[in-house]
Amino acid sequence: MTSNGRRWGALAALTLAVTLLAVDGTVLALAVPALTADLAPTSNQLLWIGDVYSFALAGLLISMGTLADRIGRKRLLLIGVTGFGAASLLAAFAPGPGWLIAARALLGVAGATLMPSTLSLVRNIFPEPRRRTRAIAIWSAGASGGAALGPLAGGLLLEHFWWGSVFVINVPIMLLVLVAVAVLVPESRDPAPGRFDPLSALLSVAAIVPLVWAVKDAAHSGVSASVLAAALAGLAAGTWFVRRQRRLASPLIDVTLFARPAFSGTVAASVIAVFAFSGLLFFFSQYLQLVRGYSPLQAGLRELPLTLASIAVVVVAVRVMTRLGVGRALGLSLLVTAAGFVVLTAGEGAGGYGVLALGLIVIGLGVGIAFTASTDAILASVPPERAGSASAVSEMAYELGVATGIALLGTLHTMLYRASLPDLSALPGTVRTAVEESLASASQALNGDALLAGAREAFADAMQVTSAVAAVLLVIAGVLAWKLVPRHAGPAASPEAGRHEAGEHEAGEHEAGEVVGTIRPM
């Protein structure tokens, strides 16, 4: 294999790892009814089964990104891949809810090593700006496509196997990734990383986990004393963390980057985009099954246009970013995504599938370019030796967007659903409570009752308003990116580095129309 072929083979292995991780983040939702019937978890245990993964993942991203810079990104990735496969088996054959919660926590720990390691390796394997952008486009397609592919994969598995199959499928794929990474991916690390600060690592966890928990719990149960205490504890730990990073010679992350409008604007736009996108995936799957009456597999197939569009956009992402620049490409892509949400809003209130499919395609195109542009801008803002910590910031934006998107948009949707329900006063108390809880429980409690049609209409109406709110947020994020993110995002560099960057840009101009599958050897 040529050197160039080896690089693209390494990218394929890294993209496969992040695709599987993204699938794992969305596939569990479809398995909840089956595992609930088998393991009989309490409502609190069921929440922890869903949430503990994101708590562990979000809490450890910063520490793992910096650790990758120090001990080697390939080494940490191999450790994470092995751990992810082992934890998947523990989850698949869990004999009870407690076991499954522990296994999901271990999956989160392993996932925290995978995300920043894969992205920082991409940054170092492709140092040239032009090819780096193309590589990040492919990596982003794996991430966004994997998230959208989760419902389809879950539906296919659950049509034929038990709920644990959504975890077992990880094992053979992780074995393939393990071999490919070991053979194809070169090692890289920060040559002068400085001393690792354990207190900073603890503070990063103490800041992020309580804040994520507070958002989720407030969305589910309302604001309480425990929610306020957790939020205050997280903010206090975050303040301490930032102050400590300013004083350290070798900080976990360079917090001064956030003082740059280009960097902070990119991160903010990324959080808002993921916020809207994750909320869509979470509720749209339920909408297709509970309102439109599709099976899990049929629902997954009807979400396929979103997946295909987010992957297909790889062939034009580099051209768009070359013509418009990073900032304008990011801003425009978010506005395109907002337009897709508007189309989807119309389709949710109409019969047929065609309008829904069109909305999903437009959203997939916008999200594909948005993820590529924001990730590329964040990675370009630091030198290659600090790619791990920059990748952690990028992934942290993603995880915060997912957590807050599902929680806050979920709360809004639930409030709107309950407000739109027909008169339930004639129902027994337990049935009325079930109908108000969710459409899923209403479908079981009413069992074909005429009121079920009203509950479905209330769910669809709530979906329309929620999608419209997401569209407005995306417009705000698009304007933010257009105004704050410059045409060419990158770290402060020497004149020589600037000339090199310009040379790479000029050399890449003639490749603007080149598709990924026809890249010439270097």
Side-chain angles (χ1 to χ4, degrees):
M1 183 181 292
T2 66
S3 175
N4 196 52
R6 192 180 180 89
R7 293 205 299 173
W8 292 103
L11 176 63
L14 297 173
T15 303
L16 180 60
V18 77
T19 300
L20 180 60
L21 197 61
V23 167
D24 199 70
T26 56
V27 73
L28 183 65
L30 287 175
V32 167
L35 72 85
T36 300
D38 189 21
L39 301 182
T42 65
S43 58
N44 191 50
Q45 286 174 326
L46 192 59
L47 283 174
W48 276 104
I49 289 170
D51 290 344
V52 71
Y53 175 83
S54 60
F55 289 161
L57 182 63
L60 292 172
L61 272 172
I62 291 177
S63 298
M64 291 300 182
T66 306
L67 186 63
D69 287 338
R70 285 168 164 76
I71 72 170
R73 293 144 190 152
K74 177 180 178 179
R75 176 184 296 180
L76 188 63
L77 178 58
L78 292 174
I79 294 171
V81 167
T82 304
F84 199 89
S88 295
L89 286 177
L90 291 175
F93 298 100
W99 184 297
L100 182 56
I101 291 170
R104 289 277 293 167
L106 291 175
L107 281 169
V109 173
T113 70
L114 292 177
M115 294 296 273
S117 295
T118 57
L119 189 51
S120 55
L121 282 166
V122 170
R123 171 71 170 88
N124 282 270
I125 292 172
F126 297 91
E128 314 91 345
R130 184 76 181 176
R131 287 188 170 87
R132 182 191 67 228
T133 301
R134 182 177 287 112
I136 289 175
I138 297 172
W139 184 94
S140 298
S144 58
L149 196 61
L152 175 60
L156 186 61
L157 290 168
L158 293 169
E159 286 274 330
H160 302 285
F161 305 103
W162 95 115
W163 61 266
S165 62
V166 302
F167 296 109
V168 172
I169 193 65
N170 295 343
V171 177
I173 299 175
M174 281 300 178
L175 285 174
L176 176 62
V177 172
L178 189 68
V179 173
V181 169
V183 173
L184 297 173
V185 176
E187 183 60 283
S188 66
R189 59 171 58 87
D190 187 344
R195 187 177 68 87
F196 182 77
D197 183 45
L199 179 56
S200 292
L202 289 174
L203 287 173
S204 69
V205 176
I208 295 164
V209 172
L211 286 174
V212 173
W213 180 86
V215 170
K216 286 178 172 287
D217 197 66
H220 183 263
S221 306
V223 177
S224 62
S226 59
V227 166
L228 292 175
L232 290 174
L235 290 172
T239 302
W240 188 2
F241 174 80
V242 170
R243 289 179 176 176
R244 187 169 181 82
Q245 301 317 293
R246 289 180 178 276
R247 295 196 306 266
L248 291 175
S250 301
L252 257 65
I253 59 173
D254 184 4
V255 295
T256 61
L257 285 172
F258 288 92
R260 297 173 55 190
F263 186 84
S264 56
T266 303
V267 173
S270 179
V271 170
I272 297 172
V274 176
F275 179 99
F277 185 60
S278 61
L280 162 72
L281 290 179
F282 185 77
F283 296 110
F284 194 67
S285 295
Q286 297 181 53
Y287 167 81
L288 291 175
Q289 294 177 71
L290 299 175
V291 177
R292 292 295 179 102
Y294 297 125
S295 70
L297 179 58
Q298 291 172 332
L301 287 170
R302 281 162 178 79
E303 292 184 44
L304 201 55
L306 178 67
T307 307
L308 296 177
S310 64
I311 294 173
V313 80
V314 168
V315 301
V316 299
V318 178
R319 176 182 294 180
V320 170
M321 292 172 64
T322 298
R323 297 287 175 85
L324 299 179
V326 175
R328 291 187 175 183
L330 177 56
L332 182 61
S333 63
L334 291 172
L335 295 176
V336 169
T337 308
F341 270 85
V342 172
V343 174
L344 203 65
T345 300
E348 287 161 355
Y353 171 69
V355 179
L356 294 177
L358 176 61
L360 292 175
I361 291 171
V362 176
I363 291 171
L365 294 174
V367 164
I369 295 178
F371 283 1
T372 300
S374 60
T375 303
D376 191 44
I378 291 173
L379 283 185
S381 65
V382 299
E385 61 269 16
R386 297 289 290 168
S389 58
S391 301
V393 171
S394 177
E395 296 311 317
M396 183 57 62
Y398 181 89
E399 291 303 320
L400 287 176
V402 169
T404 55
I406 292 176
L408 298 182
L409 288 181
T411 300
L412 175 63
H413 182 274
T414 300
M415 291 171 57
L416 293 169
Y417 164 72
R418 291 171 179 169
S420 302
L421 284 170
D423 182 16
L424 305 177
S425 58
L427 295 175
T430 54
V431 176
R432 185 167 62 249
T433 301
V435 173
E436 292 175 344
E437 178 67 23
S438 68
L439 182 57
S441 58
S443 300
Q444 296 178 346
L446 295 175
N447 194 25
D449 190 283
L451 286 175
L452 183 57
R456 287 172 173 163
E457 185 177 347
F459 190 96
D461 291 343
M463 274 289 296
Q464 286 183 285
V465 177
T466 305
S467 298
V469 170
V472 171
L473 291 173
L474 285 164
V475 170
I476 295 172
V479 173
L480 188 71
W482 190 285
K483 295 288 187 181
L484 295 181
V485 182
R487 182 176 175 83
H488 301 293
S494 64
E496 290 76 17
R499 285 193 293 270
H500 173 74
E501 185 90 5
E504 288 288 352
H505 178 74
E506 290 170 6
E509 286 292 339
H510 70 281
E511 300 175 14
E514 182 184 326
V515 297
V516 173
T518 58
I519 294 174
R520 296 186 301 277
M522 293 179 64

